[in-house]
Amino acid sequence: GIPKDWVPPSTAIPTDIKFCDMSVEMKEYTLQITEYIYYQMAKSEIAYFKDAAEHIKKGFEEQFNGCWHVVCGVNFGSYFNY
């Protein structure tokens, strides 16, 4: 998930959401965790999209319970389990 002490930089990443059937809480968390991952990748603390997907998956499972499957990046890095 997102560390409690993490504060996003003052420059926001522009988003363009065309359609979303998530709750407002889930949508806000999605934007926060993806922004966190983006900055971690920019600082080379996360190197691969599969690692980003794993981090997002674990964050969602902590925040919203259940089993989540995450696919992200230009090469569709993924992390899921059966």
Side-chain angles (χ1 to χ4, degrees):
I2 305 168
K4 300 280 187 221
D5 60 345
W6 185 72
V7 178
S10 59
T11 56
I13 298 172
T15 56
D16 185 21
I17 300 171
K18 301 290 185 194
F19 173 79
C20 180
D21 63 349
M22 295 179 174
S23 68
V24 174
E25 176 190 10
M26 192 177 289
K27 182 173 123 180
E28 289 300 316
Y29 183 77
T30 302
L31 294 173
Q32 291 171 358
I33 197 164
T34 52
E35 184 175 35
Y36 172 73
I37 295 298
Y38 174 82
Y39 284 109
Q40 295 304 304
M41 292 185 87
K43 294 190 308 184
S44 298
E45 293 181 14
I46 295 176
Y48 302 103
F49 286 121
K50 69 175 186 64
D51 298 331
E54 177 181 8
H55 196 86
I56 294 168
K57 176 190 182 330
K58 288 180 179 178
F60 265 76
E61 288 176 348
E62 289 172 11
Q63 189 77 15
F64 302 108
N65 300 318
C67 183
W68 292 86
H69 302 289
V70 177
V71 178
C72 62
V74 294
N75 296 320
F76 304 106
S78 61
Y79 190 86
F80 52 89
N81 53 4
Y82 295 95

